[in-house]
Amino acid sequence: MNCTIHVIIENDNVFKNKLKLMMESFDYIFKFYNNEEVYISNYTYPLEEGAKECILLFLNNDGSHINRLNNINNNFGIVPIIILSDEPSISLCRESFKSGAFDFFPFPFKDIEISNSINCAAERFTHELEDYKKHIYLTNKFDRLSIREREIMDMILDGNTSKETAEKLSLSPRTVEVHRSNIYTKLGIKSLPQLIQEYDYINTYPKNM
């Protein structure tokens, strides 16, 4: 599958053409954007399996560079961002990595080096996209539960038996069992370990991004 490279560069046709000429020997699909707002407005995560993507973001020391990087990360944090700069500095490089950049290259850079970086970034995106899709899928499943079902599920996950749950919620054990059965049916699960595993994935996923 081809790798899609999103190139974000403001009003620099000379640099844009140099970049395109230099990289067209590689098997990449390029999409250009004048700024990160245009990219954010038009981008959606790909639906196909095994999609490979990353961003090449052109930055210089203009005072707003890190805000631009953070703006993209806040909207599409799993897409790796490789920073390109023809006005590099130690400060810009350090701040870029602190803000989540995947890699940093001063211009001019070697074709093979940035190609290797793009391939690594694209591979990481493939794995993180699958994790993200799993998170969305599980989140949507659990959102189907009613308030009462969530309450009972939380009691069960805290280690309460059906009898203990019934006593604490002033319900009959039979009612709790019915709710428990409905929870399993709605979630499409067959066991408590599966419930624990899927719910734990939802709660830990944002921390692992």
Side-chain angles (χ1 to χ4, degrees):
M1 177 177 290
N2 289 333
C3 179
T4 301
I5 313 299
H6 303 277
V7 184
I8 304 175
I9 178 170
E10 294 183 355
N11 303 319
D12 194 331
N13 291 324
V14 174
F15 184 89
K16 188 182 296 184
N17 290 333
K18 285 181 180 179
L19 178 65
K20 194 168 185 178
L21 287 172
M22 183 179 61
M23 300 302 295
E24 64 184 4
S25 59
F26 298 100
D27 189 21
Y28 300 140
I29 298 172
F30 284 88
K31 294 184 178 181
F32 288 88
Y33 311 83
N34 289 330
N35 54 59
E36 69 275 11
E37 283 82 8
V38 175
Y39 165 78
I40 291 170
S41 297
N42 290 276
Y43 182 76
T44 56
Y45 288 128
L47 298 177
E48 63 269 23
E49 296 293 326
K52 296 183 178 182
E53 298 192 0
C54 73
I55 297 170
L56 298 183
L57 176 61
F58 183 83
L59 290 184
N60 279 322
N61 292 292
D62 59 2
S64 63
H65 48 277
I66 297 304
N67 288 335
R68 296 179 59 208
L69 175 56
N70 289 335
N71 192 21
I72 299 171
N73 272 330
N74 289 337
N75 286 276
F76 301 103
I78 69 172
V79 187
I81 302 175
I82 298 171
I83 303 300
L84 308 177
S85 179
D86 63 355
E87 296 179 8
S89 68
I90 294 177
S91 175
L92 177 60
C93 182
R94 182 187 299 113
E95 291 182 28
S96 294
F97 282 117
K98 285 175 64 177
S99 295
F102 180 83
D103 214 338
F104 183 99
F105 289 93
F107 189 83
F109 41 75
K110 296 180 180 179
D111 293 17
I112 189 63
E113 291 181 351
I114 193 169
S115 177
N116 287 339
S117 181
I118 286 173
N119 289 333
C120 290
E123 287 294 335
R124 189 179 81 172
F125 173 77
T126 299
H127 296 300
E128 293 198 359
L129 180 62
E130 292 309 308
D131 290 342
Y132 172 77
K133 288 180 178 178
K134 180 179 178 180
H135 168 70
I136 295 299
Y137 169 73
L138 293 178
T139 299
N140 289 338
K141 279 210 312 180
F142 279 84
D143 283 346
R144 299 172 196 160
L145 300 180
S146 66
I147 295 176
R148 175 60 86 182
E149 288 167 344
R150 277 190 168 273
E151 188 177 26
I152 291 176
M153 180 188 70
D154 289 339
M155 297 289 288
I156 294 171
L157 291 173
D158 285 339
N160 294 280
T161 64
S162 293
K163 182 178 180 181
E164 291 169 337
T165 300
E167 290 175 352
K168 293 178 180 179
L169 297 179
S170 299
L171 299 172
S172 71
R174 174 59 183 163
T175 299
V176 172
E177 285 298 330
V178 171
H179 279 302
R180 181 169 181 155
S181 177
N182 289 339
I183 291 169
Y184 279 38
T185 299
K186 282 186 177 181
L187 298 180
I189 62 175
K190 298 180 179 180
S191 65
L192 179 59
Q194 184 181 355
L195 174 63
I196 294 172
Q197 183 182 46
E198 292 189 356
Y199 194 65
D200 184 62
Y201 188 92
I202 292 174
N203 290 323
T204 59
Y205 173 81
K207 299 175 184 177
N208 295 331
M209 284 187 61

